[in-house]
Amino acid sequence: MEDNNKQDLMRTIQVKFPRLSKGQKLIAEYILKHYDKAAFMTAAKLGVSVGVSESTVVRFANELGFSGYPKLQKALQELIKNKLTTVQRIELSNDFVSEESALKGVLKSDMENIRATLEKINHKTFEDVVNNIFEAKKIYIIGLRSSTALSEFLGFYLNLILDNVKVVSYGISDIFEQMINVTDEDLVIGIGFPRYAARTIEALSFAQSRGAKVTAITDSLLSPLAARADYTLIAQSNMASFVDSLVSPLSVINALIIAVGLREKEKISKTFSDLEGIWQEYQVYSFKENDL
């Protein structure tokens, strides 16, 4: 179940229901009706609510194909997060933080997201992605809606280091027209967080159908982007509000840019030396008079 990301959790429970024990059926019925509550209950608390033992709850998770109850709980939490509408997220944020504590509450939440990301991210996968960036004939980066800022940022800096990077975005031409020449020699980096942009998911499916390597920067292995990727970099983006927390994804993207840059030190040095001259000549930045 953990690997079969495409299968809907609720449908799985319904299909397995006839073969469950009496106690497990009680758990199944509770989750089908109150999955929003169950997602935040421990195995013991869920057992008490239903009237079964904690071990029955653990066996129920195993029966669904999860290695333990925490994995089932995480899947339920993902389900809620993806189903929440913007209106519901605004209502949640009223409980999450008050106007007086907005600054403190959000900064603390972002710190927690970075800490969790540091624990969850797979270092070997990160290295593989860096290698793929250098091996790719062309690199396509796609992140839509709130993830547009992330894809533009990654594209901007990778373009200063490499010369084969294309940021795919909404514009005059359709997403697929911009990706029409994708081949099995290319790398497609998809960036997306709840609520996931449907077009990004479709673009990654298209890239896979063309045989391209696909990397996802997303919040969970249960994400629909991860289901369509060869490599997934996990960046936690939890924020009980209408605003997506993009601090952790941006940190991961910064790390990618730095890792790529470290391998191209000489090229970067020359590039920025040339750029400095251009910036001054065309007054791209505001320079002090004595700098000119």
Side-chain angles (χ1 to χ4, degrees), residues 208-229:
Q208 279 199 324
S209 73
R210 289 297 186 92
K213 276 208 173 83
V214 176
T215 289
I217 300 175
T218 190
D219 65 315
S220 163
L221 287 173
L222 293 169
S223 154
L225 277 75
R228 291 156 179 82

Side-chain angles (χ1 to χ4, degrees), residues 147-202:
S147 293
T148 300
L150 296 171
S151 63
E152 292 284 357
F153 186 88
L154 177 59
F156 175 79
Y157 279 101
L158 281 188
N159 260 319
L160 292 177
I161 306 167
L162 310 167
D163 56 4
N164 60 341
V165 181
K166 179 181 177 66
V167 176
V168 178
S169 59
Y170 289 125
I172 295 172
S173 59
D174 188 77
I175 299 299
F176 296 111
E177 288 169 2
Q178 296 172 57
M179 296 177 66
I180 193 67
N181 295 318
V182 169
T183 72
D184 58 4
E185 295 180 281
D186 300 330
L187 170 66
V188 176
I189 301 174
I191 307 171
F193 296 86
R195 303 160 81 187
Y196 309 102
R199 218 49 168 169
T200 302
I201 298 164
E202 290 166 358

Side-chain angles (χ1 to χ4, degrees), residues 21-258:
S21 68
K22 189 178 175 184
Q24 289 171 353
K25 280 180 178 173
L26 292 173
I27 302 167
E29 285 170 351
Y30 185 88
I31 288 176
L32 289 170
K33 287 178 188 172
H34 311 289
Y35 67 90
D36 54 336
K37 291 179 185 173
F40 299 100
M41 289 180 173
T42 61
K45 192 173 179 184
L46 179 56
V48 169
S49 299
V50 176
V52 299
S53 66
E54 183 178 349
S55 60
T56 303
V57 176
V58 174
R59 282 197 297 275
F60 172 75
N62 296 153
E63 192 65 35
L64 294 187
F66 292 96
S67 58
Y69 177 73
K71 299 284 186 183
L72 169 58
Q73 189 180 35
K74 183 77 166 64
L76 288 168
Q77 288 172 3
E78 293 297 329
L79 191 67
I80 294 167
K81 190 162 54 172
N82 301 338
K83 298 280 187 197
L84 286 179
T85 64
T86 304
V87 173
Q88 288 169 321
R89 288 170 81 172
I90 290 170
E91 287 170 359
L92 265 178
S93 68
N94 293 336
D95 301 327
F96 165 68
V97 66
S98 64
E99 277 185 42
E100 293 79 23
S101 65
L103 177 63
K104 196 172 182 180
V106 171
L107 289 178
K108 275 181 143 182
S109 175
D110 279 334
M111 285 166 65
E112 171 56 26
N113 281 334
I114 289 178
R115 188 199 62 74
T117 298
L118 190 58
E119 285 180 8
K120 290 178 183 177
I121 200 160
N122 187 309
H123 294 264
K124 172 69 168 63
T125 303
F126 182 87
E127 289 302 318
D128 288 341
V129 172
V130 173
N131 290 332
N132 285 333
I133 286 172
F134 282 102
E135 290 165 7
K137 188 173 180 182
K138 190 160 186 175
I139 300 160
Y140 294 82
I141 301 169
I142 181 166
L144 305 173
R145 302 188 66 78
S146 60
S147 293
T148 300
L150 296 171
S151 63
E152 292 284 357
F153 186 88
L154 177 59
F156 175 79
Y157 279 101
L158 281 188
N159 260 319
L160 292 177
I161 306 167
L162 310 167
D163 56 4
N164 60 341
V165 181
K166 179 181 177 66
V167 176
V168 178
S169 59
Y170 289 125
I172 295 172
S173 59
D174 188 77
I175 299 299
F176 296 111
E177 288 169 2
Q178 296 172 57
M179 296 177 66
I180 193 67
N181 295 318
V182 169
T183 72
D184 58 4
E185 295 180 281
D186 300 330
L187 170 66
V188 176
I189 301 174
I191 307 171
F193 296 86
R195 303 160 81 187
Y196 309 102
R199 218 49 168 169
T200 302
I201 298 164
E202 290 166 358
L204 297 194
S205 293
F206 174 73
Q208 279 199 324
S209 73
R210 289 297 186 92
K213 276 208 173 83
V214 176
T215 289
I217 300 175
T218 190
D219 65 315
S220 163
L221 287 173
L222 293 169
S223 154
L225 277 75
R228 291 156 179 82
D230 303 295
Y231 302 93
T232 300
L233 295 175
I234 302 296
Q236 186 157 303
S237 67
N238 290 347
M239 180 70 79
S241 178
F242 58 94
V243 177
D244 294 317
S245 173
L246 301 180
V247 172
S248 291
L250 191 56
S251 282
V252 171
I253 284 168
N254 273 336
L256 266 183
I257 294 164
I258 298 290

